[in-house]
């Protein structure tokens, strides 16, 4: 009953097999190997972006921070929501990599609206040398609250950004979960909307540790490579990152795992809803659920070994509703979910 | 016949097995798993340093840059040799991570002497607010030229540094190769000499991609953790890094692989010497050989598929001596080496 | 009729005389001259802080950014209001000087409340390595909206900060205007409340260009000096900065000028109020007035040569209320103010 | 007898008068005043560069660091001599402002040779993503050792740099001293040689504290302005900087003061030479003299109140030659110099 995060499950067996297959003889280091080329080609194909610059790193924070550093100058504002991972969970990595750009919050929820973005960008467009300058917008899909932007909303947001000359980055740590949930293509959810750069996650979806950064303007490639090396994120034995990514994108494994995670999320959400005990803080749309449950139930769940984020102390009035975050990964079984749900009964 | 680098060979089968074993169920992310604790404990035991702070990262550049950032302030000088990896091969990562410390070159060779270090530190000690301030010394063992510092030389260097209040970092990307070559213990080659922090390499010695940073003063641990996260080097699924390190340090595998690499280096060096064609630029002491060979021979070797760094063009007078770097990893076979050496004949 | 800013008026004649007096023969550079010592001594006396570290710089942004850099680590949050000069008007200088600390907004107005601060600090105290860490609080007195913190409010804010281990900085670009308005002493408005560092302004109060940074903990002095030099803010001919500051603090000139500016502000505010045309956005408490006036009146004022910040276009409906910022410096005459006010009639 | 530095003398009376004249009424801040425009126009005229971007700052370190930051990327090398002010005397300000570029030393003397530069640039041109990248060259004229580059040498150096795509910066803290000594024009000693950016000094030549940065490519203007503000070097009351620069460039005052300083230097050098006691470390070519004198003489000079940098302790054998630096500013009188020289007799 592990619902603490989707970064905690096992690596998919097919990925382990791919790593074993990659482990033959010598290979050129630093991405000059055949597997790196294959993985990049597959990713470009998935995005229908044959010219895109594609690079691999080991962490999602690295993907975000390096991508933003290519889009923002040190004196820029970077526009994000208040719950953005880059704002909340990266210990100032974006500030570090951009050389001190200012994360500037838009709206007060999990999803930016075109109107809120317009208002903030307009204010920045009217600024002077004294103010943070117009920099990139960064959006997260699946959002940090488990919700989704519709492609038409992404399009509208990018249209606003474009009007103000602001490039757009997408934090896609759960990009494939969003694709699976929306039933659209990678291109439809990125450059066709006007997005300039994507952090394309793998680690939260069954890989051992690989994220890709996709830059649709290949002119940005060299700067990215230099920033990656300077950030100490160019791994020597890159074939082992590439092997994961190549296998992930082969024969639909990426979508298969995301669909499994989403299916698990839906099963869990449905059970919670049916229990009548849960108050949903956000409408669950992928593999993450934010809801309240009575404290007494939390006690029971924790005592039974369920693992998830609980926002509040276990001590206190039984009936008080305490918020929790429950995340499902691809590896959870229906049995595990049902066992958790069975604890809601009586 | 792959002698280009020791970062290009396969991962040792026992490491692959350890990864497979680690791939069971869910585990807490970000180093809060049991394998991370086990690996750290083993490393502390190896260093006979039960209090040391031990952290894992995926690249050697990250290990060096983060360790130096904990020892240097942005206005400091960092003292190294002109051939230091941190100076030559990290695309300003140390400058990035330290916030702009100044790498200051000591001597003109692969190994610092206590006298040269003393002269440079004395000059800095006499400085004012206008100058770069006294910062850490960083040494590399095995050096970038394949040579070794004797423990007594390390001791003498650290003694000079201590006198001036300069902490000492050791870039040990090939730390175990040095241990194997010198026959001393990890403690004897580090804190017993007075070294404050070690980048303890694994990737060049048969791992998939793990380095450890050992800080002998545990008070530095929290700063390291914050710098690591901010640098985007805290991996979520750390069990897969820890599994490698734990297996590496189990049952002598680390030394076994380093001894194999050194033995390969010695076999290659002996053959080169016996050929009478090679001019050694540095006395090979571990698994790296820097020597000249006649251009015509380079042509023959390259045509036969040998891979190594050649400093100069293949076109030109046959007899001209051109320098090469030849590195042996643990996975090379005697046959591969002998095949290379057989090309030196006639 | 110049009300655009208090950074635009002439330098007080006594300051010009002091500069002329200072211009005799040679003097040691970089603050090692007698005038620098005199000015620092006078400032320490003014603050009743004989041990304080006192340093001079040429701009208010430098004072703020350097002071914050001494109080914040790169992975910290810096807590300020949404209208703070450091947030709004310094083009990411605080982020630059701190190495990427994250400015984190508290409340939604010109003045922080202890309750709002407590809530934000409590959230940060509960954070982990993933989040921005507990860093300094920075308050502005006179605020950017022309209002004041009462000393008891400063005390309460500092008490909250202390409880969470957060140091407190005061942006005192208009520190003396606040002293004059509140009738309290420099000590009562700083270290006696628990404030750790003050940017003590001079430029907006009749000097040519000098600000002081007062660090009540003298152990911070050396770091400040190194950061100042590294930031290129150590001026060689510091006697000319010190001469200004020494004359400023002599015989009450500092308070005399601030009182004049505040008196001008009060005269202007009273006239605006009497006109019945102005809507005050903030209660004017020192030398700055934020109010709305009908657009037609703005047209008339601008046509007559009045200079001030107007937030909105001159074209549009006559009756629409448009916000303006009007700032009075010490050098304005009653005649200038009355001439402006006379334009409000009929 | 003050020969410690040319940053320690009084401000020229004509500059003080200009400041007094500038001190009338209100003026727009941040360089939007008429004097700022006048000063910039005069500087462009002096450089025969009507399109150049011209900006003012208060310190020479700021001029250098900001100019280099516009020319270098964080992952670049910046090429300078080992005695360069940017390397030796700016407490890592260039590293701070460039975001961590690596100062890379060329040659071992006060002046770079085209051959030495070529060798270093060629090595960088052959580099990879692992190495510091090709960045700007920075030269100092008058050099830190009081010597000069001939315009034809500057031309040759710039030609090498251009071939490798490296922009060239000139640290001209004593630019006018060099012009006066060489008898050439500002254009001939800058863009006509191929130099891209000049730090044009005023502070060491009789001003209170102003330096200009001249960027011959006006497309760099905006970036400079943003970097200047972010570096906290945009002064609000810029008219007082501009007044100095405008008066400096009016009616030949700049050259008059530099000629006076050079004449003083020549008189002092001639006297030292005639004494037979001085060993010149560099041939004096402007207003700085580096020479040895016997220790006993240093004792006598210091006892008589002479101020200059002495490299070594006053205690020790009488006859030992100790190096000194003697700098002459415009304000020294012949009498002061002769009094110093008279101490060399008997």
């Amino acid at each position: 009953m592990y619902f603490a995060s989707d970064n905690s499950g096992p690596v998919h067996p097919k990925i382990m097999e791919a790593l074993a297959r990659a482990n033959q003889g010598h290979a050129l280091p630093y991405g000059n190997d055949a597997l790196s080329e294959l993985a990049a080609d597959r990713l470009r194909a998935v995005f229908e972006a044959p010219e895109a610059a594609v690079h691999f790193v080991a962490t999602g924070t690295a993907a975000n921070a390096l991508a933003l550093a290519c889009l923002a100058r040190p004196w820029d504002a970077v526009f994000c929501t208040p719950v953005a991972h880059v704002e909340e969970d990266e210990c100032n990595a974006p500030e570090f990599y951009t050389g001190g750009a200012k994360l500037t919050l838009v709206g007060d929820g999990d999803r930016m609206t075109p109107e809120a973005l317009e208002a903030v960008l307009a204010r920045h467009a009217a600024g002077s040398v004294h103010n943070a300058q117009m920099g990139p917008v960064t959006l997260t899909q699946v959002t940090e609250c488990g919700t989704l932007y519709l492609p038409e909303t992404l399009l509208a947001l990018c249209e606003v950004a474009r009007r103000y000359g602001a490039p757009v980055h997408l934090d896609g740590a759960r990009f494939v979960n969003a694709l699976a949930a929306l039933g659209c293509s990678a291109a439809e959810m990125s450059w066709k909307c006007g997005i300039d750069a994507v952090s394309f996650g793998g680690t939260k979806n069954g890989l051992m540790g690989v994220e890709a950064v996709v830059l649709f303007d290949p002119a940005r490639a060299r700067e990215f490579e230099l920033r990656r090396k300077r950030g100490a994120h160019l791994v020597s034995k890159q074939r082992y990152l590439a092997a994961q990514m190549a296998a992930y994108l082969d024969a639909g494994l990426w979508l298969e795992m995301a669909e499994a995670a989403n299916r698990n999320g839906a099963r869990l959400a449905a059970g919670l809803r049916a229990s009548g005990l849960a108050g949903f803080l956000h409408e669950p749309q992928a593999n993450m659920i934010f809801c309240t449950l009575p404290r007494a139930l939390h006690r029971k769940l924790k005592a039974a070994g369920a693992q998830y984020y609980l926002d509040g102390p276990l001590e206190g009035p039984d009936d008080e509703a305490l918020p929790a975050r429950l995340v499902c990964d691809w590896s959870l079984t229906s049995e595990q979910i049902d066992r958790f749900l069975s604890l809601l009964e009586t």
Side-chain angles (χ1 to χ4, degrees), chain A:
Chain A
M1 297 193 296
Y2 192 98
F3 303 101
S5 180
D6 41 4
N7 66 13
S8 307
V11 176
H12 195 283
K14 287 189 181 165
I15 300 297
M16 296 302 284
E17 287 161 19
L19 285 171
R21 273 197 311 277
N23 196 39
Q24 305 296 328
H26 290 78
L28 286 173
Y30 302 117
N32 298 311
D33 59 291
L35 269 171
S36 289
E37 194 49 37
L38 174 64
D41 284 346
R42 283 190 179 159
L43 195 54
R44 281 186 283 256
V46 153
F47 275 92
E48 303 166 48
E51 305 297 327
V54 167
H55 296 101
F56 305 121
V57 291
T59 74
T61 296
N64 286 340
L66 287 166
L68 287 174
C70 287
L71 299 179
R73 300 161 306 167
W75 42 86
D76 279 347
V78 174
F79 304 98
C80 63
T81 71
V83 300
H85 196 270
V86 293
E87 167 70 8
E88 289 279 286
D89 292 299
E90 300 189 350
C91 193
N92 297 2
E95 288 87 349
F96 178 41
Y97 276 87
T98 58
K102 184 190 287 290
L103 270 64
T104 300
L105 307 185
V106 179
D108 56 7
D110 56 313
R111 278 167 292 191
M112 228 179 255
T113 64
E115 296 70 31
L117 180 60
E118 170 103 37
V120 175
L121 296 191
R123 185 159 62 82
H124 279 76
S128 72
V129 74
H130 300 277
N131 313 118
Q133 304 294 301
M134 184 70 67
V137 178
T138 176
L139 307 167
T140 309
Q141 174 86 316
V142 180
T143 75
E144 292 79 1
C145 297
T147 55
L148 291 167
Y149 288 100
L150 293 177
E152 50 262 42
T153 310
L154 291 177
L155 188 70
L157 286 162
C158 290
E159 165 53 28
V160 172
R162 170 137 324 147
R163 217 164 342 109
Y164 286 96
V168 184
H169 165 255
L170 191 72
D171 177 354
R174 296 185 182 91
F175 188 91
V176 190
N177 297 77
L179 283 193
L182 290 167
C184 67
S185 75
E188 285 164 359
M189 209 169 76
S190 59
W191 63 268
K192 288 190 177 176
C193 294
I195 283 165
D196 297 282
V198 174
S199 298
F200 177 83
T203 312
K204 287 192 192 320
N205 194 24
L207 303 192
M208 187 179 281
V210 198
E211 312 281 307
V213 174
V214 184
L215 301 163
F216 295 112
D217 176 0
R220 298 192 196 274
R222 186 64 179 166
E223 179 176 343
F224 187 92
E225 286 163 10
L226 290 163
R227 287 190 180 276
R228 179 176 59 176
K229 173 63 196 177
R230 171 177 171 255
H233 286 288
L234 176 60
V235 301
S236 55
K237 298 186 175 175
Q238 192 177 301
R239 60 168 143 170
Y240 300 102
L241 268 62
Q244 297 175 61
M245 187 58 74
Y248 186 52
L249 299 176
D250 187 33
L253 178 60
W254 57 317
L255 283 166
E256 184 186 310
M257 290 198 282
E259 282 158 5
N262 288 359
R263 211 181 308 119
N264 288 335
R267 186 183 195 96
L268 180 60
L272 284 161
R273 199 181 304 274
S275 77
L277 298 167
F280 289 91
L281 303 171
H282 302 277
E283 182 59 27
Q285 297 184 287
N287 65 326
M288 291 198 288
I289 297 163
F290 292 79
C291 68
T292 60
L293 291 171
R295 179 181 276 112
L297 185 52
H298 282 304
R299 277 200 213 102
K300 182 178 173 192
L301 290 164
K302 292 282 186 182
Q307 300 208 48
Y308 57 90
Y309 281 106
L310 170 63
D311 192 0
L314 281 180
E315 306 81 48
D318 277 14
D319 290 345
E320 193 181 357
L322 292 182
R325 188 188 84 160
L326 299 151
V327 191
C328 296
D329 70 19
W330 70 276
S331 79
L332 291 173
T333 60
S334 303
E335 289 68 31
Q336 290 169 317
I337 295 167
D338 292 348
R339 192 176 143 226
F340 179 94
L341 291 173
S342 70
L343 293 164
L344 305 189
E345 293 165 21
T346 323

